Amino acid sequence: MVGGGHAGVEAAWAAASLLPEACSVALVTLDPSKVGVMSCNPAIGGLAKGQLVREIDAMGGLMGLAADATGVMFKVLNTSRGPAVRGPRCQSDKHAYAEAVRALVASRPQIDAVAGAVETLLVERVPGTSERRITGVEVATPEGPVRLEADAVVITTGTFMRGLMHTGATRTPGGRHGEAPASSLSASLESLGFELGRLKTGTCPRLDRDTIDWDSLPEQVGDADPAPFSDLTPAGWSVPGVELSAFPRLEQIPCRQTRTSPVAHELIRANLHRAPMFCGQIESAGPRYCPSIEDKVVRFADRESHGVFLEPESHRDRVVYCNGISTSLPEDVQDVLVRTMPGCARARIVRYGYAVEYDMVRPHQIRATCETKAIAGLFLAGQINGTSGYEEAAAQGLVAGVNAARRARSEGDFVLGRDQAYIGVLMDDLVTKTPREPYRMFTSRAEHRLLLRSDNAADRLTPIADELGLLTTTELGARRKRLFEDRRVGVERLDAEVDRATLDGEPLARAIRRPGYTVEDLRTALAGAAGPIDAGVARGVWETVHAERVYEPYIARQRAQIRRQSELERRRLPGWVEYTALPGLRAEAAQALARFRPETYAQAGRLEGVTPADLNLLSVLIARGPRGMGRLPAHTEA
């Protein structure tokens, strides 16, 4: 595993869960003490991202465990809307989070941390074929070059590949504040024929808590009854170095809210010629849905202010994260900008915001397993694939780690479908679309989001994790299996009570779909039958049964759509097809098919530029086989 960020640790954790003790996972990172560091926002989850974390946890991953152990403010977003679009989120103690991740990784004896930078990928031809496969990496370490041989390699370099940080006119090589870039890996990938791209992300200034008029600002608090990410948390869990016997474990910290002002916006407009994004210094695309403050001021010129959340980063220091003013403006402009915000007239910046440009690999070159199409055994996960965010990176790391271990064991591919998980939506989007900016997950990207709720992640994915073997080698996995069985029994029990009960003469199963009917209403209706939440039926069970019954007619409709689509998902496209040579196929469709080389008809249908008519023609042409693709009859061409 190359890289110790959110993708790298999740990949290492998953692979270690599947490999026998005689095998090992090398976690190669520039500085092992920085494994698990939160580079930007000290938070986990959010809208759609919270679903990803819940899914990672249901598959036996570590992100939810670390977030629960170190969260300082938990809040479920979108509670005024339906269960399908609610997103759990927590503000984390950034120092404690990284320590928890390192302790979890250290608890796996199969994972060996290696300090160094991967400079060269070792690749060989498969004997008797034109195919290539990975055989290992060359690592520059403090003790000298080291050659690591491996059946599978996962690259999770984040923003470090030729990373370049910008603050005003100042440019500093690096992938993160105070850390050097990975400079040689890009050249190695290019030499192997990979098409690289360049993206940009950024971060905000950090303030000294003691210089903010904290008490003058509106308070933002977490939920009074916080919900954990991990199903293991309510029962308590421990590994060497980390123990969680109560939740929440850390003292909760409120945030404060402030805002930018017209004065600040005028300041920004007056200094756009000094902003790297607007003076031509940065040419790569940044995240559309997490824009810098200078980008907001230009794009939303009619807005007089933008909200800013002041989020304490840790119990251990006085650093405050300014969520909402990511910027690469010069330092002197940042100083004035911050002091125009209410409550911040005397605020002191302890670290200035900056933008970072970095190399990525165009993801049309990977499969939905994260394995590259060009080199067998080489996997890519995280921001190297053009994504943005801790959660998207961790989800890819899980997929890559599982598939890397399965390749090492000569087993088949593991792929999640769009109807199974947000993880499946993420991977399918990456391999069927060319990102023009860093990809971010949203609930709107999931056409089956009524099925992919945060409350039912375990129902969807824990049986799959168990079948893969992710839960069989550790005590945490065994506990998860026991808790899942308890949950299954609880759902069956509660469902039976709903089917038996009536409300005002109406079957409860129908009454539950009344507008505004809540989980608390359901608990009240069944108080005499199923008992209160602390009498054997967990909170998550109540939430799932309530959501399933509320959405029941719509879920039935979505399942019918999935069944109709499943034939196309199963129909695989042969590898021998030369799409640009197919007679009668529109040039736009042929080019898209040749670039992405989809694996199924369903994937082909989701490519931009491919129509249902193109799919029908493609099916006819492929049915003829390699020797039968002569000229089509005139009426067919028409």
Side-chain angles (χ1 to χ4, degrees), residues 297-453:
V297 167
V298 170
R299 286 168 54 187
F300 309 106
D302 57 325
R303 292 279 298 273
E304 292 189 348
S305 68
H306 293 280
V308 179
F309 291 93
L310 301 179
E311 301 170 342
E313 290 194 337
S314 176
H315 280 292
R316 305 182 196 180
D317 58 36
R318 309 297 289 174
V319 178
V320 174
Y321 182 91
C322 295
N323 192 342
I325 54 169
S326 170
T327 184
S328 57
L329 286 162
E331 293 180 359
D332 61 295
V333 179
Q334 293 189 40
D335 283 326
V336 179
L337 165 63
V338 163
R339 289 172 184 157
T340 64
M341 299 190 304
C344 299
R346 297 185 304 276
R348 182 176 68 86
I349 295 177
V350 296
R351 184 194 300 170
Y352 289 94
Y354 60 90
V356 57
E357 288 186 287
Y358 56 94
D359 285 350
M360 49 85 72
V361 176
R362 302 289 185 194
H364 68 271
Q365 299 166 102
I366 65 169
R367 302 167 56 222
T369 60
C370 287
E371 187 177 24
T372 62
K373 297 174 182 177
I375 299 175
L378 176 62
F379 297 80
L380 310 179
Q383 286 175 286
I384 192 172
N385 287 333
T387 60
S388 171
Y390 304 152
E391 302 82 4
E392 291 88 344
Q396 293 171 73
L398 170 73
V399 172
V402 169
N403 280 297
R406 288 177 68 81
R407 167 164 279 281
R409 293 164 51 172
S410 300
E411 296 175 346
D413 293 340
F414 159 67
V415 175
L416 288 170
R418 296 182 69 92
D419 60 316
Q420 292 178 293
Y422 272 86
I423 298 173
V425 174
L426 166 65
M427 293 309 308
D428 187 70
D429 281 353
L430 289 180
V431 301
T432 59
K433 297 173 176 63
T434 299
R436 296 176 175 86
E437 71 233 354
Y439 176 100
R440 179 177 179 177
M441 179 55 71
F442 293 102
T443 53
S444 59
R445 296 191 190 275
E447 63 272 35
H448 305 303
R449 56 186 171 274
L450 294 184
L451 299 172
L452 308 183
R453 306 183 309 273

Side-chain angles (χ1 to χ4, degrees), residues 194-215:
F194 286 100
E195 178 187 343
L196 303 187
R198 193 94 170 139
L199 289 177
K200 168 259 175 191
T201 189
T203 190
C204 65
R206 271 67 159 184
L207 308 183
D208 181 344
R209 164 71 171 78
D210 292 337
T211 64
I212 301 170
D213 187 2
W214 198 253
D215 293 332

